[in-house]
PDB file of all heavy atoms in Angstrom:
ATOM      1  N   LEU A 308       2.848  91.598 -47.358  1.00 76.00           N
ATOM      2  CA  LEU A 308       1.772  90.626 -47.192  1.00 76.00           C
ATOM      3  C   LEU A 308       1.007  90.518 -48.513  1.00 76.00           C
ATOM      4  O   LEU A 308       0.168  91.338 -48.826  1.00 76.00           O
ATOM      5  CB  LEU A 308       0.833  91.066 -46.072  1.00 76.00           C
ATOM      6  CG  LEU A 308      -0.280  90.083 -45.749  1.00 76.00           C
ATOM      7  CD1 LEU A 308       0.265  88.821 -45.106  1.00 76.00           C
ATOM      8  CD2 LEU A 308      -1.314  90.713 -44.847  1.00 76.00           C
ATOM      9  N   GLU A 309       1.338  89.485 -49.272  1.00 76.00           N
ATOM     10  CA  GLU A 309       0.793  89.373 -50.633  1.00 76.00           C
ATOM     11  C   GLU A 309      -0.726  89.257 -50.650  1.00 76.00           C
ATOM     12  O   GLU A 309      -1.366  89.622 -51.625  1.00 76.00           O
ATOM     13  CB  GLU A 309       1.417  88.174 -51.346  1.00 76.00           C
ATOM     14  CG  GLU A 309       2.888  88.388 -51.619  1.00 76.00           C
ATOM     15  CD  GLU A 309       3.507  87.224 -52.360  1.00 76.00           C
ATOM     16  OE1 GLU A 309       2.771  86.457 -52.993  1.00 76.00           O
ATOM     17  OE2 GLU A 309       4.734  87.097 -52.288  1.00 76.00           O
ATOM     18  N   ASP A 310      -1.309  88.756 -49.559  1.00 84.00           N
ATOM     19  CA  ASP A 310      -2.764  88.614 -49.503  1.00 84.00           C
ATOM     20  C   ASP A 310      -3.479  89.958 -49.621  1.00 84.00           C
ATOM     21  O   ASP A 310      -4.665  90.007 -49.935  1.00 84.00           O
ATOM     22  CB  ASP A 310      -3.186  87.936 -48.192  1.00 84.00           C
ATOM     23  CG  ASP A 310      -3.387  86.437 -48.388  1.00 84.00           C
ATOM     24  OD1 ASP A 310      -3.123  85.953 -49.503  1.00 84.00           O
ATOM     25  OD2 ASP A 310      -3.802  85.770 -47.428  1.00 84.00           O
ATOM     26  N   SER A 311      -2.747  91.045 -49.337  1.00 87.00           N
ATOM     27  CA  SER A 311      -3.366  92.370 -49.446  1.00 87.00           C
ATOM     28  C   SER A 311      -3.749  92.674 -50.881  1.00 87.00           C
ATOM     29  O   SER A 311      -4.594  93.517 -51.135  1.00 87.00           O
ATOM     30  CB  SER A 311      -2.395  93.456 -48.997  1.00 87.00           C
ATOM     31  OG  SER A 311      -1.830  93.124 -47.780  1.00 87.00           O
ATOM     32  N   TYR A 312      -3.084  92.047 -51.820  1.00 91.00           N
ATOM     33  CA  TYR A 312      -3.359  92.291 -53.245  1.00 91.00           C
ATOM     34  C   TYR A 312      -3.760  91.000 -53.941  1.00 91.00           C
ATOM     35  O   TYR A 312      -3.416  90.773 -55.095  1.00 91.00           O
ATOM     36  CB  TYR A 312      -2.121  92.893 -53.912  1.00 91.00           C
ATOM     37  CG  TYR A 312      -1.645  94.168 -53.262  1.00 91.00           C
ATOM     38  CD1 TYR A 312      -0.408  94.245 -52.641  1.00 91.00           C
ATOM     39  CD2 TYR A 312      -2.447  95.305 -53.272  1.00 91.00           C
ATOM     40  CE1 TYR A 312       0.026  95.422 -52.046  1.00 91.00           C
ATOM     41  CE2 TYR A 312      -2.026  96.480 -52.680  1.00 91.00           C
ATOM     42  CZ  TYR A 312      -0.787  96.533 -52.062  1.00 91.00           C
ATOM     43  OH  TYR A 312      -0.373  97.692 -51.485  1.00 91.00           O
ATOM     44  N   LEU A 313      -4.493  90.166 -53.228  1.00 93.00           N
ATOM     45  CA  LEU A 313      -4.813  88.834 -53.729  1.00 93.00           C
ATOM     46  C   LEU A 313      -5.492  88.840 -55.102  1.00 93.00           C
ATOM     47  O   LEU A 313      -5.091  88.121 -56.011  1.00 93.00           O
ATOM     48  CB  LEU A 313      -5.696  88.105 -52.712  1.00 93.00           C
ATOM     49  CG  LEU A 313      -5.993  86.655 -53.063  1.00 93.00           C
ATOM     50  CD1 LEU A 313      -4.731  85.823 -52.986  1.00 93.00           C
ATOM     51  CD2 LEU A 313      -7.032  86.068 -52.123  1.00 93.00           C
ATOM     52  N   SER A 314      -6.521  89.666 -55.260  1.00 96.00           N
ATOM     53  CA  SER A 314      -7.273  89.646 -56.522  1.00 96.00           C
ATOM     54  C   SER A 314      -6.412  90.120 -57.687  1.00 96.00           C
ATOM     55  O   SER A 314      -6.597  89.668 -58.825  1.00 96.00           O
ATOM     56  CB  SER A 314      -8.530  90.509 -56.419  1.00 96.00           C
ATOM     57  OG  SER A 314      -9.427  89.918 -55.518  1.00 96.00           O
ATOM     58  N   ILE A 315      -5.469  91.016 -57.401  1.00 96.00           N
ATOM     59  CA  ILE A 315      -4.568  91.485 -58.461  1.00 96.00           C
ATOM     60  C   ILE A 315      -3.663  90.340 -58.898  1.00 96.00           C
ATOM     61  O   ILE A 315      -3.468  90.091 -60.086  1.00 96.00           O
ATOM     62  CB  ILE A 315      -3.756  92.696 -57.963  1.00 96.00           C
ATOM     63  CG1 ILE A 315      -4.689  93.898 -57.831  1.00 96.00           C
ATOM     64  CG2 ILE A 315      -2.581  92.996 -58.886  1.00 96.00           C
ATOM     65  CD1 ILE A 315      -4.056  95.125 -57.243  1.00 96.00           C
ATOM     66  N   LYS A 316      -3.140  89.633 -57.911  1.00 95.00           N
ATOM     67  CA  LYS A 316      -2.274  88.495 -58.208  1.00 95.00           C
ATOM     68  C   LYS A 316      -3.033  87.464 -59.057  1.00 95.00           C
ATOM     69  O   LYS A 316      -2.519  86.962 -60.045  1.00 95.00           O
ATOM     70  CB  LYS A 316      -1.834  87.867 -56.873  1.00 95.00           C
ATOM     71  CG  LYS A 316      -0.652  86.955 -57.000  1.00 95.00           C
ATOM     72  CD  LYS A 316      -0.084  86.611 -55.624  1.00 95.00           C
ATOM     73  CE  LYS A 316      -0.738  85.390 -55.045  1.00 95.00           C
ATOM     74  NZ  LYS A 316      -0.251  85.033 -53.724  1.00 95.00           N
ATOM     75  N   GLU A 317      -4.264  87.203 -58.667  1.00 96.00           N
ATOM     76  CA  GLU A 317      -5.064  86.213 -59.400  1.00 96.00           C
ATOM     77  C   GLU A 317      -5.408  86.719 -60.800  1.00 96.00           C
ATOM     78  O   GLU A 317      -5.344  85.971 -61.768  1.00 96.00           O
ATOM     79  CB  GLU A 317      -6.338  85.858 -58.625  1.00 96.00           C
ATOM     80  CG  GLU A 317      -6.082  85.211 -57.261  1.00 96.00           C
ATOM     81  CD  GLU A 317      -5.131  84.025 -57.322  1.00 96.00           C
ATOM     82  OE1 GLU A 317      -5.297  83.163 -58.204  1.00 96.00           O
ATOM     83  OE2 GLU A 317      -4.186  83.965 -56.504  1.00 96.00           O
ATOM     84  N   ALA A 318      -5.765  88.004 -60.901  1.00 97.00           N
ATOM     85  CA  ALA A 318      -6.136  88.562 -62.211  1.00 97.00           C
ATOM     86  C   ALA A 318      -4.944  88.492 -63.175  1.00 97.00           C
ATOM     87  O   ALA A 318      -5.117  88.222 -64.370  1.00 97.00           O
ATOM     88  CB  ALA A 318      -6.622  89.996 -62.054  1.00 97.00           C
ATOM     89  N   LEU A 319      -3.745  88.721 -62.662  1.00 97.00           N
ATOM     90  CA  LEU A 319      -2.550  88.605 -63.513  1.00 97.00           C
ATOM     91  C   LEU A 319      -2.394  87.162 -63.991  1.00 97.00           C
ATOM     92  O   LEU A 319      -2.076  86.906 -65.145  1.00 97.00           O
ATOM     93  CB  LEU A 319      -1.291  89.045 -62.742  1.00 97.00           C
ATOM     94  CG  LEU A 319      -1.092  90.559 -62.575  1.00 97.00           C
ATOM     95  CD1 LEU A 319       0.036  90.852 -61.579  1.00 97.00           C
ATOM     96  CD2 LEU A 319      -0.801  91.239 -63.910  1.00 97.00           C
ATOM     97  N   LYS A 320      -2.655  86.223 -63.076  1.00 96.00           N
ATOM     98  CA  LYS A 320      -2.556  84.805 -63.444  1.00 96.00           C
ATOM     99  C   LYS A 320      -3.575  84.454 -64.533  1.00 96.00           C
ATOM    100  O   LYS A 320      -3.264  83.736 -65.472  1.00 96.00           O
ATOM    101  CB  LYS A 320      -2.837  83.922 -62.220  1.00 96.00           C
ATOM    102  CG  LYS A 320      -1.695  83.799 -61.243  1.00 96.00           C
ATOM    103  CD  LYS A 320      -1.971  82.563 -60.390  1.00 96.00           C
ATOM    104  CE  LYS A 320      -1.708  82.776 -58.933  1.00 96.00           C
ATOM    105  NZ  LYS A 320      -2.331  81.753 -58.089  1.00 96.00           N
ATOM    106  N   HIS A 321      -4.814  84.959 -64.365  1.00 96.00           N
ATOM    107  CA  HIS A 321      -5.854  84.645 -65.356  1.00 96.00           C
ATOM    108  C   HIS A 321      -5.445  85.148 -66.738  1.00 96.00           C
ATOM    109  O   HIS A 321      -5.623  84.455 -67.742  1.00 96.00           O
ATOM    110  CB  HIS A 321      -7.200  85.277 -64.974  1.00 96.00           C
ATOM    111  CG  HIS A 321      -7.665  84.917 -63.595  1.00 96.00           C
ATOM    112  ND1 HIS A 321      -8.585  85.677 -62.903  1.00 96.00           N
ATOM    113  CD2 HIS A 321      -7.336  83.889 -62.770  1.00 96.00           C
ATOM    114  CE1 HIS A 321      -8.793  85.123 -61.715  1.00 96.00           C
ATOM    115  NE2 HIS A 321      -8.053  84.041 -61.605  1.00 96.00           N
ATOM    116  N   ALA A 322      -4.909  86.371 -66.766  1.00 96.00           N
ATOM    117  CA  ALA A 322      -4.489  86.949 -68.048  1.00 96.00           C
ATOM    118  C   ALA A 322      -3.362  86.106 -68.644  1.00 96.00           C
ATOM    119  O   ALA A 322      -3.361  85.814 -69.843  1.00 96.00           O
ATOM    120  CB  ALA A 322      -4.042  88.389 -67.848  1.00 96.00           C
ATOM    121  N   ALA A 323      -2.425  85.688 -67.793  1.00 95.00           N
ATOM    122  CA  ALA A 323      -1.292  84.898 -68.279  1.00 95.00           C
ATOM    123  C   ALA A 323      -1.765  83.552 -68.839  1.00 95.00           C
ATOM    124  O   ALA A 323      -1.279  83.090 -69.866  1.00 95.00           O
ATOM    125  CB  ALA A 323      -0.284  84.679 -67.154  1.00 95.00           C
ATOM    126  N   THR A 324      -2.730  82.934 -68.155  1.00 94.00           N
ATOM    127  CA  THR A 324      -3.261  81.652 -68.631  1.00 94.00           C
ATOM    128  C   THR A 324      -3.815  81.807 -70.040  1.00 94.00           C
ATOM    129  O   THR A 324      -3.591  80.981 -70.914  1.00 94.00           O
ATOM    130  CB  THR A 324      -4.386  81.149 -67.699  1.00 94.00           C
ATOM    131  OG1 THR A 324      -3.869  81.123 -66.370  1.00 94.00           O
ATOM    132  CG2 THR A 324      -4.869  79.772 -68.073  1.00 94.00           C
ATOM    133  N   THR A 325      -4.546  82.894 -70.264  1.00 94.00           N
ATOM    134  CA  THR A 325      -5.154  83.124 -71.572  1.00 94.00           C
ATOM    135  C   THR A 325      -4.110  83.441 -72.634  1.00 94.00           C
ATOM    136  O   THR A 325      -4.230  83.007 -73.777  1.00 94.00           O
ATOM    137  CB  THR A 325      -6.158  84.288 -71.482  1.00 94.00           C
ATOM    138  OG1 THR A 325      -6.989  84.056 -70.355  1.00 94.00           O
ATOM    139  CG2 THR A 325      -7.011  84.392 -72.711  1.00 94.00           C
ATOM    140  N   LEU A 326      -3.084  84.199 -72.251  1.00 94.00           N
ATOM    141  CA  LEU A 326      -2.088  84.619 -73.247  1.00 94.00           C
ATOM    142  C   LEU A 326      -1.015  83.556 -73.472  1.00 94.00           C
ATOM    143  O   LEU A 326      -0.191  83.685 -74.368  1.00 94.00           O
ATOM    144  CB  LEU A 326      -1.417  85.920 -72.804  1.00 94.00           C
ATOM    145  CG  LEU A 326      -2.318  87.158 -72.776  1.00 94.00           C
ATOM    146  CD1 LEU A 326      -1.582  88.330 -72.151  1.00 94.00           C
ATOM    147  CD2 LEU A 326      -2.773  87.517 -74.180  1.00 94.00           C
ATOM    148  N   GLY A 327      -1.012  82.538 -72.621  1.00 92.00           N
ATOM    149  CA  GLY A 327      -0.021  81.472 -72.797  1.00 92.00           C
ATOM    150  C   GLY A 327       1.352  81.830 -72.290  1.00 92.00           C
ATOM    151  O   GLY A 327       2.357  81.361 -72.806  1.00 92.00           O
ATOM    152  N   CYS A 328       1.426  82.712 -71.302  1.00 93.00           N
ATOM    153  CA  CYS A 328       2.734  83.017 -70.712  1.00 93.00           C
ATOM    154  C   CYS A 328       2.669  82.765 -69.206  1.00 93.00           C
ATOM    155  O   CYS A 328       1.638  82.407 -68.668  1.00 93.00           O
ATOM    156  CB  CYS A 328       3.121  84.465 -71.000  1.00 93.00           C
ATOM    157  SG  CYS A 328       1.994  85.675 -70.328  1.00 93.00           S
ATOM    158  N   GLU A 329       3.804  82.938 -68.557  1.00 92.00           N
ATOM    159  CA  GLU A 329       3.863  82.824 -67.103  1.00 92.00           C
ATOM    160  C   GLU A 329       4.058  84.219 -66.546  1.00 92.00           C
ATOM    161  O   GLU A 329       4.729  85.051 -67.171  1.00 92.00           O
ATOM    162  CB  GLU A 329       5.069  81.977 -66.705  1.00 92.00           C
ATOM    163  CG  GLU A 329       4.846  80.490 -66.804  1.00 92.00           C
ATOM    164  CD  GLU A 329       4.288  79.929 -65.514  1.00 92.00           C
ATOM    165  OE1 GLU A 329       5.058  79.671 -64.581  1.00 92.00           O
ATOM    166  OE2 GLU A 329       3.055  79.761 -65.449  1.00 92.00           O
ATOM    167  N   VAL A 330       3.511  84.486 -65.378  1.00 93.00           N
ATOM    168  CA  VAL A 330       3.716  85.803 -64.800  1.00 93.00           C
ATOM    169  C   VAL A 330       4.332  85.676 -63.415  1.00 93.00           C
ATOM    170  O   VAL A 330       3.991  84.775 -62.648  1.00 93.00           O
ATOM    171  CB  VAL A 330       2.394  86.624 -64.772  1.00 93.00           C
ATOM    172  CG1 VAL A 330       1.370  86.004 -63.871  1.00 93.00           C
ATOM    173  CG2 VAL A 330       2.649  88.057 -64.373  1.00 93.00           C
ATOM    174  N   GLU A 331       5.273  86.548 -63.153  1.00 91.00           N
ATOM    175  CA  GLU A 331       5.928  86.552 -61.846  1.00 91.00           C
ATOM    176  C   GLU A 331       5.752  87.958 -61.292  1.00 91.00           C
ATOM    177  O   GLU A 331       5.997  88.938 -61.992  1.00 91.00           O
ATOM    178  CB  GLU A 331       7.411  86.238 -62.053  1.00 91.00           C
ATOM    179  CG  GLU A 331       8.146  85.801 -60.812  1.00 91.00           C
ATOM    180  CD  GLU A 331       9.619  85.569 -61.141  1.00 91.00           C
ATOM    181  OE1 GLU A 331       9.922  84.596 -61.858  1.00 91.00           O
ATOM    182  OE2 GLU A 331      10.438  86.378 -60.703  1.00 91.00           O
ATOM    183  N   THR A 332       5.318  88.047 -60.050  1.00 90.00           N
ATOM    184  CA  THR A 332       5.084  89.372 -59.483  1.00 90.00           C
ATOM    185  C   THR A 332       6.201  89.728 -58.520  1.00 90.00           C
ATOM    186  O   THR A 332       6.546  88.930 -57.658  1.00 90.00           O
ATOM    187  CB  THR A 332       3.758  89.379 -58.698  1.00 90.00           C
ATOM    188  OG1 THR A 332       2.936  88.339 -59.189  1.00 90.00           O
ATOM    189  CG2 THR A 332       3.045  90.672 -58.838  1.00 90.00           C
ATOM    190  N   ARG A 333       6.736  90.912 -58.698  1.00 86.00           N
ATOM    191  CA  ARG A 333       7.719  91.381 -57.733  1.00 86.00           C
ATOM    192  C   ARG A 333       7.064  92.482 -56.913  1.00 86.00           C
ATOM    193  O   ARG A 333       6.598  93.486 -57.436  1.00 86.00           O
ATOM    194  CB  ARG A 333       8.948  91.949 -58.441  1.00 86.00           C
ATOM    195  CG  ARG A 333       9.987  92.362 -57.431  1.00 86.00           C
ATOM    196  CD  ARG A 333      11.093  93.176 -58.062  1.00 86.00           C
ATOM    197  NE  ARG A 333      12.002  93.608 -57.019  1.00 86.00           N
ATOM    198  CZ  ARG A 333      12.929  94.521 -57.165  1.00 86.00           C
ATOM    199  NH1 ARG A 333      13.089  95.104 -58.307  1.00 86.00           N
ATOM    200  NH2 ARG A 333      13.693  94.855 -56.173  1.00 86.00           N
ATOM    201  N   TRP A 334       6.981  92.280 -55.625  1.00 86.00           N
ATOM    202  CA  TRP A 334       6.316  93.237 -54.755  1.00 86.00           C
ATOM    203  C   TRP A 334       7.343  94.268 -54.301  1.00 86.00           C
ATOM    204  O   TRP A 334       8.345  93.927 -53.682  1.00 86.00           O
ATOM    205  CB  TRP A 334       5.701  92.525 -53.555  1.00 86.00           C
ATOM    206  CG  TRP A 334       4.849  91.370 -53.995  1.00 86.00           C
ATOM    207  CD1 TRP A 334       5.232  90.071 -54.148  1.00 86.00           C
ATOM    208  CD2 TRP A 334       3.482  91.416 -54.413  1.00 86.00           C
ATOM    209  NE1 TRP A 334       4.202  89.310 -54.625  1.00 86.00           N
ATOM    210  CE2 TRP A 334       3.107  90.109 -54.793  1.00 86.00           C
ATOM    211  CE3 TRP A 334       2.528  92.438 -54.506  1.00 86.00           C
ATOM    212  CZ2 TRP A 334       1.835  89.793 -55.261  1.00 86.00           C
ATOM    213  CZ3 TRP A 334       1.259  92.117 -54.966  1.00 86.00           C
ATOM    214  CH2 TRP A 334       0.921  90.815 -55.335  1.00 86.00           C
ATOM    215  N   VAL A 335       7.094  95.516 -54.640  1.00 87.00           N
ATOM    216  CA  VAL A 335       8.029  96.584 -54.295  1.00 87.00           C
ATOM    217  C   VAL A 335       7.382  97.473 -53.237  1.00 87.00           C
ATOM    218  O   VAL A 335       6.276  97.989 -53.438  1.00 87.00           O
ATOM    219  CB  VAL A 335       8.371  97.435 -55.532  1.00 87.00           C
ATOM    220  CG1 VAL A 335       9.343  98.556 -55.165  1.00 87.00           C
ATOM    221  CG2 VAL A 335       8.935  96.569 -56.636  1.00 87.00           C
TER     222      VAL A 335
END
Side-chain angles (χ1 to χ4, degrees):
L308 184 69
E309 292 182 21
D310 264 4
S311 311
Y312 303 116
L313 185 67
S314 292
I315 290 175
K316 197 168 89 181
E317 298 309 314
L319 283 169
K320 282 199 223 163
H321 306 159
T324 306
T325 312
L326 293 173
C328 61
E329 279 271 278
V330 65
E331 197 182 291
T332 337
R333 183 191 176 193
W334 309 92
V335 180

